[in-house]
Amino acid sequence: MNRPLILISNDDGYDAKGIVELVRMVRSFGDIIVCAPEECQSGKSRAFSMGPLTLRDVRERDGERWTACSGTPVDCIKMACNVLCPRTPDLILGGINHGDNASVNAHYSGTVGIAFEGAMKGVPSIAFSLCDYDADADFRPMEGYVRKICDGVLSHGLPPMTFLNVNVPKVSIASELRGMLQCRMARGEWKKEVILPAEGSREYHLKGYFENHEPEDASTDAWAVSNGYVAVTPSTVDVTSYCDLDWL
C-alpha cells in the first residue's frame, strides 16, 4: 500500500529554513514532494504566471524529491500536480512561513495561496506560519502542533473546498505555547501603506502597519497568537456572502 503523498511548497523560496523544517517534521507521515519558488515570492497570494515556467531538480533522496520552480507559489502547486506528482497528493502544505498570516494578512499571503489552491483541487490543505520574520527563526517549539494537525487531517480529511490557516506565536520553548484555539479571522486593515519618494526620487515604497480593529476579541486569530495560542482558522474557497443573498 502506498504511503500518503505530501506536496509541500512555500513563498519564502525552496532553501528557506521554514520549509526545510516543515519537511523534517512531517517526513514520517509519507512520501514528500517539494516544489517551491526559486526565490522569495512573499505577498503573491493566489497569483499565477502567464509566461513560461522552468523546473529545476534540487535533490532527491529517501522518498523525497525537491524541485525549484521559477514562478509563484500557486505556479508551484499547479506544476507539481500536473508534472511531478505520480498521483493526486493526499495532503498539501504551505510553509512554514517566516512571519504571521493571521487576520486580513491571509489574503496577501503566498503561503495561504498554496492551501487555497490545494483546496480548489480537492486536496486537504494547510498553511503554517510562525510569527517570526527572522531567516534563522526557531521552528522547533511548534513541531508538536504541526504533527498533530497534519496527523488529524490525514486521518479525517477536511470538508470540501476548506483549508486550515495555522498561525503560531514566537516562543522560546514548546511549553510556552498555551494550546490551540479554533478562531475566526480578525477584522483589521493596513494603515499608512505608502512611503513617499525622497527628494529627487520617483520611487514609492509600500510598508505601513497593521491595525487590529478588535484587539480584545478572544474569538479571533490575532488575539490567539498575541496571547500565546496556536490559532487554527478554517477557511473556505467559496467567498460568497450567503447571509446577504436575500437582500441583494
Side-chain angles (χ1 to χ4, degrees):
M1 181 176 179
N2 288 330
R3 295 194 338 139
L5 179 62
I6 304 173
L7 172 60
I8 301 178
S9 189
N10 72 351
D11 67 3
D12 291 310
Y14 75 91
D15 58 350
K17 184 177 180 180
I19 196 170
V20 173
E21 287 291 280
L22 180 56
V23 170
R24 180 187 64 77
M25 292 175 190
V26 303
R27 60 166 49 108
S28 64
F29 289 128
D31 295 329
I32 306 291
I33 290 181
V34 175
C35 185
E38 282 276 8
E39 56 189 27
C40 182
Q41 295 280 336
S42 293
K44 293 300 176 70
S45 186
R46 299 187 293 277
F48 67 94
S49 301
M50 301 296 290
L53 296 169
T54 61
L55 294 174
R56 180 173 65 87
D57 289 333
V58 177
R59 56 183 172 273
E60 187 170 359
R61 66 185 183 195
D62 301 327
E64 294 176 18
R65 181 178 181 182
W66 288 66
T67 302
C69 174
S70 62
T72 68
V74 166
D75 289 333
C76 292
I77 299 304
K78 292 181 181 294
M79 292 291 284
C81 288
N82 287 277
V83 178
L84 302 175
C85 294
R87 62 184 189 277
T88 300
D90 299 286
L91 181 65
I92 291 178
L93 303 178
I96 300 168
N97 192 65
H98 293 248
D100 86 275
N101 283 309
S103 187
V104 296
N105 297 322
H107 292 298
Y108 302 116
S109 165
T111 303
V112 176
I114 291 162
F116 199 106
E117 181 71 17
M120 288 199 295
K121 295 185 180 305
V123 179
S125 301
I126 311 167
F128 287 106
S129 302
L130 176 66
C131 302
D132 186 348
Y133 290 91
D134 194 323
D136 194 34
D138 186 2
F139 296 91
R140 291 173 297 177
M142 66 185 290
E143 180 171 353
Y145 290 94
V146 170
R147 289 181 55 82
K148 182 176 183 178
I149 294 168
C150 289
D151 185 44
V153 172
L154 280 170
S155 299
H156 304 291
L158 289 171
M161 306 291 276
T162 299
F163 62 92
L164 300 182
N165 182 23
V166 179
N167 287 277
V168 182
K170 177 183 177 180
V171 296
S172 299
I173 55 176
S175 61
E176 293 178 349
L177 293 171
R178 301 174 65 185
M180 283 193 296
L181 292 179
Q182 57 185 31
C183 307
R184 66 172 177 84
M185 178 186 288
R187 299 182 181 95
E189 63 179 312
W190 281 84
K191 309 284 282 188
K192 296 186 177 180
E193 296 175 284
V194 178
I195 299 175
L196 299 178
E199 185 176 352
S201 172
R202 299 177 64 184
E203 293 184 348
Y204 293 81
H205 294 271
L206 296 180
K207 194 173 182 181
Y209 65 92
F210 176 72
E211 182 178 279
N212 186 354
H213 290 174
E214 42 187 1
E216 304 305 320
D217 193 323
S219 69
T220 69
D221 52 4
W223 184 94
V225 295
S226 65
N227 286 274
Y229 292 94
V230 175
V232 182
T233 304
S235 306
T236 178
V237 170
D238 184 353
V239 297
T240 305
S241 180
Y242 286 98
C243 65
D244 294 317
L245 285 176
D246 288 341
W247 72 257
L248 186 63

